[in-house]
Amino acid sequence: MLAGYVFAFEHEESDVHFYVYNKNIVEENRKEQKPFFLLFAAEWCHWCHVFNEKTLTNEKVISFLNKNFVNIFIDSDIHTGAYQKYKANGVPYTVFLNPDASVYYQYSGTLYAEPFLEVIQGVYQNIKKGLTVDGDEILPFEYTPPTKFHEYTLDKLRSTYIKGVLDNFDTEEYGVGNGVKEILPETFLYLLNTSSGRDRQDAVLWISETLKKAIDKIYDPVEGGFFRYAEKDNWDIPHYEKMAGLNTGTVLLLYKVNQEMPDPKFKKAAQQTIDYMNNTLFDEETGSFLSFQQADTSYYNLNVYWRKNVDQPLVIKKIFTDHLAITLNYLLDVLSYTGNKSLKNKVIRSLDFLSGMILKNKEIFHYYSIPEKLWSGKSGLQDHVLLVKLLQRAAAKFKHERYQIAASKIIHFSFSKYYNEQKQIFVDPELDAKDYEYLMAMNGDIALGLMEQGNKSAEQKYNSVKPLIRYFSGLEELLEDKFWDGKDWKFLERSALFLSAADKFLDLKYNPKN
């Protein structure tokens, strides 16, 4: 069983000599003149456990890594800045750096001992000979932000997005694309809220069919909750981790689609998933929703009788600020569809838990350890923007002054730490300033929060957000490139966040009294 099995700390006992990541660790070890092996992993990740058990225990692998590489372990949930810096995509994720710390090669997924040994031997020999990896050179996207705001640039961006998503729907197996299948809450919610005419008819139908597929293929009918994604385009081979944010976003989707195309399956799955959140992903002692439950292929193939005789997959006993904010942002909307008093109570308790951290401390922390009863970890831009959006919305919904005070404090921190006066946008000084996909989502999130400020006039809110919207409004070409590439659809979620903010910005312009 996976209960009690915590890979994210096993590197400390591993025979591979791992350094634990900090932002200076690579620079500090460049004097070794060795290539770097960076391993991103997470406590909840099944294939991280497999990689540890089947690959990093092999004597030949251990010996070769210890002799020839500087090995660095990175908890992807704790060190989100590093995850973003190296453009990691999933876990486990491997990055090989040259001795000068430039990226040599990177990939996502698990390799067993023999093929992994061949990879690290090849990487070492090629770096030693000064060879590069064969393949297409990835050129950075060049972008010149508009100097003035023009509404038509937003119109083009929105049209490109909606057309691109609808053109890439799999109309046979449903979901987006012809590879990995997953639920994309922000993308689907944006289509439901924004598209019109025939586009909306198609969107409602295809999202409805996608949710039916998800219920049949990546849903736990015993305890409720959706799994992370399916490997195959026909929704086979689920990855059995359960993520709080994905599940609450899916619940909101189910309620919205059920209004358009009623189906008892939608309502049942939504209610059962709420029960799962209340019963499994909530810590009563702390008073907060949790973030993840580990995968266990064997467990989820058992029926209700046999599950009673075994331990549940481990629920990770950490609360991550960004993940909790995502979860609660969805649940604020879910409360409009359900009279579940237990859910409302747990949402308020979780909000109190987060706002308490903000109001009692001089800085924002990234995660809370339940066993240690301690907040720790340096927060980043994503923590701040998500908190701004969440607490402004919570203050408006529940009329609690505590949430407004906490939101104002976070806004102050965000401007002082992350606002670039020259560019007039929020940036993380430790990350790539040209990662426009990431930055458009971050600025979209904080724009949504700034437009919720109850103590500001419509004109003040409009003027504070306008530079953020203007800066990213010309990214139509980036969207087109991403659709053309068609490999990873996560950009849809980030783009939807920005477009939602842009649409609300326009509504504020034309309907300031709303």
Side-chain angles (χ1 to χ4, degrees):
M1 299 302 299
L2 291 177
Y5 186 79
V6 185
F7 173 76
F9 299 105
E10 285 190 344
H11 62 283
E12 295 177 357
E13 299 177 0
S14 174
D15 289 332
V16 176
H17 300 156
F18 277 113
Y19 290 96
V20 179
Y21 179 81
N22 66 64
K23 68 177 184 178
N24 299 316
I25 195 70
V26 172
E27 193 63 32
E28 289 169 357
N29 285 277
R30 283 181 60 181
K31 62 182 180 293
E32 297 287 331
Q33 283 299 299
K34 292 181 179 180
F36 294 82
F37 163 52
L38 278 55
L39 174 63
F40 288 87
E43 289 186 66
W44 48 263
C45 168
H46 169 74
W47 286 103
C48 299
H49 304 322
V50 172
F51 185 63
N52 181 64
E53 284 186 332
K54 303 296 185 182
T55 304
L56 296 183
T57 54
N58 180 277
E59 290 299 329
K60 291 182 179 179
V61 169
I62 293 168
S63 176
F64 197 86
L65 283 174
N66 288 341
K67 181 180 179 181
N68 299 299
F69 286 83
V70 176
N71 307 302
I72 300 174
F73 178 87
I74 308 174
D75 186 314
S76 63
D77 291 312
I78 292 175
H79 298 292
T80 53
Y83 188 85
Q84 189 63 38
K85 176 181 178 179
Y86 288 104
K87 307 293 191 294
N89 180 21
V91 282
Y93 193 84
T94 297
V95 180
F96 295 108
L97 304 181
N98 291 300
D100 67 358
S102 60
V103 174
Y104 173 77
Y105 182 63
Q106 56 198 105
Y107 67 89
S108 178
T110 293
L111 292 176
Y112 290 101
E114 186 174 337
F116 182 70
L117 182 61
E118 291 178 4
V119 167
I120 57 179
Q121 288 172 337
V123 168
Y124 176 75
Q125 291 298 328
N126 283 351
I127 288 177
K128 190 175 180 181
K129 295 174 183 177
L131 301 178
T132 58
V133 179
D134 291 335
D136 296 330
E137 182 181 4
I138 300 175
L139 299 174
F141 178 77
E142 297 298 332
Y143 176 61
T144 302
T147 55
K148 293 184 178 180
F149 172 72
H150 296 288
E151 194 170 325
Y152 68 83
T153 60
L154 272 182
D155 293 339
K156 289 197 297 181
L157 189 66
R158 185 189 308 107
S159 299
T160 298
Y161 181 84
I162 293 173
K163 183 178 185 301
V165 178
L166 295 178
D167 285 350
N168 283 280
F169 253 100
D170 180 346
T171 55
E172 293 184 6
E173 294 291 345
Y174 298 100
V176 177
N178 294 307
V180 165
K181 289 297 173 66
E182 59 191 322
I183 301 169
L184 300 169
E186 291 294 337
T187 304
F188 296 164
L189 288 168
Y190 185 76
L191 289 179
L192 293 175
N193 293 334
T194 307
S195 59
S196 59
R198 178 59 187 270
D199 285 347
R200 192 170 194 283
Q201 292 176 21
D202 289 341
V204 170
L205 174 62
W206 294 341
I207 293 169
S208 172
E209 294 299 324
T210 296
L211 290 173
K212 290 176 185 176
K213 276 281 188 180
I215 291 169
D216 288 341
K217 293 284 193 173
I218 59 169
Y219 177 70
D220 180 4
V222 178
E223 297 169 21
F226 290 82
F227 306 124
R228 193 157 59 107
Y229 66 88
E231 272 191 31
K232 301 296 184 181
D233 63 353
N234 64 353
W235 297 81
D236 280 347
I237 313 182
H239 282 227
Y240 287 98
E241 297 90 354
K242 291 182 181 179
M243 326 297 280
L246 173 62
N247 272 282
T248 52
T250 302
V251 168
L252 180 57
L253 261 177
L254 287 164
Y255 278 126
K256 280 186 169 289
V257 172
N258 192 60
Q259 286 186 325
E260 305 280 345
M261 300 185 74
D263 189 316
K265 284 185 178 180
F266 295 156
K267 194 170 183 179
K268 181 180 179 181
Q271 292 171 340
Q272 195 174 15
T273 301
I274 288 173
D275 291 341
Y276 165 75
M277 292 295 303
N278 279 336
N279 298 329
T280 303
L281 284 189
F282 188 85
D283 185 76
E284 280 291 344
E285 183 179 354
T286 307
S288 175
F289 286 105
L290 303 170
S291 302
F292 318 111
Q293 185 175 23
Q294 283 182 348
D296 186 334
T297 304
S298 300
Y299 179 85
Y300 288 116
N301 282 307
L302 298 175
N303 62 28
V304 62
Y305 173 78
W306 287 107
R307 288 193 194 185
K308 291 178 181 178
N309 299 305
V310 296
D311 293 332
Q312 282 187 324
L314 183 70
V315 175
I316 306 305
K317 294 299 182 180
K318 286 191 183 80
I319 301 167
F320 291 92
T321 298
D322 50 354
H323 289 285
L324 180 56
I326 290 169
T327 298
L328 293 174
N329 262 304
Y330 284 131
L331 288 177
L332 289 180
D333 290 325
V334 168
L335 290 175
S336 300
Y337 293 89
T338 175
N340 191 309
K341 294 181 180 179
S342 175
L343 180 66
K344 181 178 180 179
N345 173 263
K346 288 177 169 64
V347 168
I348 291 174
R349 289 176 67 189
S350 298
L351 286 165
D352 290 343
F353 174 74
L354 267 183
S355 57
M357 178 267 287
I358 296 163
L359 295 173
K360 293 175 185 176
N361 295 285
K362 295 181 179 180
E363 61 180 321
I364 306 305
F365 295 102
H366 182 55
Y367 70 96
Y368 180 83
S369 170
I370 292 175
E372 298 175 5
K373 297 184 178 180
L374 180 69
W375 280 103
S376 54
K378 181 183 176 183
S379 61
L381 175 60
Q382 180 164 287
D383 295 310
H384 285 73
V385 302
L386 287 167
L387 286 173
V388 170
K389 182 170 75 169
L390 171 66
L391 290 167
Q392 287 292 171
R393 296 186 67 220
K397 187 175 184 69
F398 296 116
K399 312 301 181 186
H400 286 188
E401 185 180 9
R402 171 189 180 91
Y403 302 154
Q404 183 61 63
I405 295 171
S408 297
K409 188 173 181 179
I410 292 290
I411 290 172
H412 173 72
F413 284 166
S414 300
F415 272 97
S416 63
K417 290 183 177 182
Y418 299 110
Y419 191 70
N420 184 304
E421 292 283 354
Q422 182 179 358
K423 294 182 178 181
Q424 296 184 297
I425 60 170
F426 293 87
V427 301
D428 190 328
E430 295 182 10
L431 299 181
D432 182 3
K434 292 187 176 182
D435 190 348
Y436 300 110
E437 180 187 329
Y438 169 74
L439 289 174
M440 75 187 297
M442 296 301 97
N443 282 269
D445 267 331
I446 199 166
L448 285 166
L450 294 173
M451 287 186 285
E452 290 281 355
Q453 295 179 92
N455 57 350
K456 301 290 184 181
S457 68
E459 184 179 5
Q460 287 174 314
K461 289 186 280 189
Y462 177 85
N463 290 332
S464 69
V465 168
K466 186 176 180 180
L468 312 182
I469 303 302
R470 171 190 56 76
Y471 190 93
F472 297 99
S473 63
L475 283 171
E476 180 190 3
E477 185 181 343
L478 176 62
L479 274 189
E480 289 174 339
D481 288 350
K482 290 286 186 177
F483 280 119
W484 180 259
D485 186 48
K487 292 179 181 178
D488 176 20
W489 300 104
K490 291 297 185 185
F491 78 92
L492 294 179
E493 295 289 270
R494 289 175 166 176
S495 302
L497 289 169
F498 173 75
L499 286 167
S500 296
D503 290 347
K504 183 161 185 169
F505 166 76
L506 292 176
D507 186 57
L508 185 65
K509 176 181 179 180
Y510 292 112
N511 302 289
K513 294 183 179 181
N514 285 355

